[in-house]
Amino acid sequence: MNYEQFSHTINDKEKNIFLVDMTQEVEHFFSTLAQRGIGKYLRQGKRIGIIVDKKWFSSGMICRDCWFVPQCTKCSVSISYHKLESGDQIWLCHICKAQYNVQESCAHCHGHNIKWYGMGTQKVAEYLQQEFGAKSLIIESEKANSTNKIKKIMEELHQYKWEYPILIGTSLLSTAIPSYPLDLVVFFNADMGLNIPDYNVGEKNFNLLYHTFLHHDNAQFVVQTFNPEQYSIRQACKLDEEGFWKEENEFRKAHNYPPFADLCVLLYKNEVEEKVFTKVDKLHKELLYLKEKYQFHDLEIYSTPPLIYKIFGKYRYNIILKGKDLKNFMDIVFTKLNLTGKNFKVDWKADSIV
């Protein structure tokens, strides 16, 4: 058996959470359990929600001959593949929104062995249409970032609730929609967010799962994951907030992260890559000098690029400082180095390092 069942009774209502090990699945879009559940609930005329970690159609394209991945010219991210309501297809940078024409061959080697990777909301909707003949309504942040847009979504839900039995969205679906309860909620990939190199990804992942389970009173849940033993996923399925924080705090304490130490991130960005290296290297050496001079031996200071190296044409680099006595050290830094005049963005009490 490639899944576990966790049953809970909350407010006299039974919740069943099925944790599916996707490493045992032949079909890596939806598990056998999710496929059966979606088919069953559609036949019964019930409502289904699919929570997908990526928007649009596909995350990007890769050439299987030379392994080239097209990136945005202004941002160091792969170009996403989109299908517009008009039927047109475009490449789009999800950061700066620059558009690119869709190419049928590799721009590097001119080969045609092209593969689209990453399954976004549009591709999930297309798959469900082909597999079950069911239409889906996609709800994304761009469509729900104002009162009028939310009102329009609610009108669509009530007007087309039988035409669109499936809702597809990202974290927006973690909150129940008033007067439109879901009967089945499927997490397409519950551990994708854990791949981000940040200290608090476990907390974010746990909160998404945990609060989704609590907010949808009448729903049953299928949680698909390639890592069913990961503690943020497992403790969320158990609805064990205390158990999660016990393991999370052990990790943060061992690696000197908040709340066991302070964290400060200094970000420098410039259109000229060499200037970024020069500025960051100089400040990094000055910080290390002050650390030794004033004997802050327990502080950690290191430089590293952020998750996205270039945004809107500017290269970016971080200097990370963390430790229990960081405030006193930063007071010295501001006094001795005139940090405010060096054009570094200072994120004191940072809640992220990417």
Side-chain angles (χ1 to χ4, degrees):
M1 184 172 64
N2 67 329
Y3 67 86
E4 295 179 68
Q5 180 177 349
F6 302 88
S7 298
H8 310 278
T9 301
I10 300 177
N11 298 328
D12 297 325
K13 296 179 181 178
E14 184 177 353
K15 290 182 184 287
N16 291 306
I17 301 170
F18 297 90
L19 180 61
V20 182
D21 182 0
M22 292 297 288
T23 64
Q24 304 300 314
E25 292 285 335
V26 176
E27 173 59 75
H28 290 294
F29 289 157
F30 285 97
S31 61
T32 302
L33 184 66
Q35 293 267 134
R36 291 174 180 173
I38 293 170
K40 174 185 174 181
Y41 277 68
L42 286 174
R43 290 191 298 271
Q44 294 177 350
K46 295 185 176 181
R47 302 184 181 108
I48 300 167
I50 312 292
I51 297 179
V52 184
D53 55 289
K54 294 184 179 297
K55 296 187 290 185
W56 305 307
F57 194 86
S58 291
S59 301
M61 184 208 84
I62 186 169
C63 175
R64 299 300 295 270
D65 292 329
C66 69
W67 303 104
F68 174 72
V69 176
Q71 286 194 338
C72 175
T73 57
K74 297 179 180 179
C75 309
S76 56
V77 295
S78 60
I79 305 169
S80 300
Y81 178 47
H82 294 245
K83 288 188 175 180
L84 303 179
E85 293 181 1
S86 62
D88 294 331
Q89 302 172 1
I90 61 169
W91 280 350
L92 181 72
C93 173
H94 70 269
I95 294 179
C96 70
K97 308 305 179 186
Q99 294 187 18
Y100 300 84
N101 294 326
V102 175
Q103 304 292 327
E104 296 182 357
S105 61
C106 174
H108 187 257
C109 73
H110 307 293
H112 290 81
N113 190 8
I114 303 299
K115 179 178 176 60
W116 295 100
Y117 64 88
M119 198 163 181
T121 52
Q122 292 178 336
K123 193 172 183 180
V124 170
E126 182 179 279
Y127 174 82
L128 292 170
Q129 174 74 44
Q130 294 171 350
E131 189 73 13
F132 299 99
K135 292 184 178 180
S136 304
L137 184 63
I138 299 174
I139 302 177
E140 294 174 342
S141 56
E142 290 84 356
K143 297 180 179 180
N145 56 9
S146 71
T147 303
N148 289 335
K149 289 182 179 180
I150 293 173
K151 182 180 179 181
K152 184 179 179 180
I153 290 175
M154 295 304 299
E155 291 174 352
E156 283 187 281
L157 287 176
H158 290 288
Q159 183 177 357
Y160 302 110
K161 61 182 178 181
W162 302 120
E163 186 178 352
Y164 296 99
I166 302 176
L167 300 185
I168 299 175
T170 51
S171 58
L172 287 174
L173 287 188
S174 63
T175 302
I177 300 173
S179 71
Y180 199 88
L182 297 175
D183 301 294
L184 174 67
V185 176
V186 178
F187 281 89
F188 186 73
N189 187 349
D191 48 24
M192 180 60 72
L194 296 171
N195 295 329
I196 297 174
D198 208 352
Y199 76 92
N200 56 6
V201 292
E203 178 185 1
K204 293 179 180 179
N205 204 56
F206 173 84
N207 284 333
L208 173 62
L209 293 165
Y210 180 76
H211 291 294
T212 302
F213 298 150
L214 294 184
H215 289 161
H216 292 277
D217 292 333
N218 301 306
Q220 308 298 309
F221 303 90
V222 175
V223 181
Q224 299 187 161
T225 174
F226 289 91
N227 191 4
E229 298 301 322
Q230 209 283 333
Y231 66 90
S232 70
I233 298 173
R234 197 162 196 82
Q235 299 294 8
C237 291
K238 293 180 179 180
L239 298 184
D240 186 358
E241 190 172 18
E242 182 179 344
F244 163 75
W245 278 112
K246 180 180 179 181
E247 294 194 60
E248 177 73 0
N249 283 333
E250 288 176 357
F251 162 78
R252 294 194 184 190
K253 186 175 183 180
H255 294 88
N256 209 27
Y257 284 118
F260 303 97
D262 288 324
L263 178 67
C264 181
V265 178
L266 308 179
L267 170 66
Y268 186 78
K269 53 187 177 181
N270 197 290
E271 294 90 346
V272 181
E273 193 172 15
E274 289 78 8
K275 288 186 178 180
V276 174
F277 293 146
T278 302
K279 283 276 191 178
V280 171
D281 184 60
K282 181 181 178 182
L283 180 58
H284 184 221
K285 291 177 179 176
E286 291 173 337
L287 293 171
L288 292 177
Y289 170 77
L290 292 179
K291 171 187 171 181
E292 294 302 316
K293 180 178 179 179
Y294 292 97
Q295 299 184 4
F296 286 89
H297 301 304
D298 294 331
L299 288 184
E300 292 183 50
I301 303 175
Y302 60 92
S303 60
T304 181
L307 181 63
I308 303 176
Y309 179 47
K310 184 171 70 170
I311 292 180
F312 292 102
K314 290 188 176 183
Y315 298 94
R316 308 158 73 236
Y317 225 90
N318 284 333
I319 296 178
I320 310 294
L321 304 95
K322 60 178 179 175
K324 296 179 181 179
D325 203 17
L326 184 55
K327 184 181 184 305
N328 291 331
F329 179 72
M330 291 304 295
D331 288 340
I332 296 173
V333 170
F334 275 98
T335 302
K336 300 292 184 180
L337 299 182
N338 185 27
L339 191 58
T340 54
K342 294 182 180 292
N343 296 322
F344 277 80
K345 178 183 177 182
V346 181
D347 187 1
W348 177 245
K349 299 286 184 181
D351 59 2
S352 173
I353 60 174
V354 299

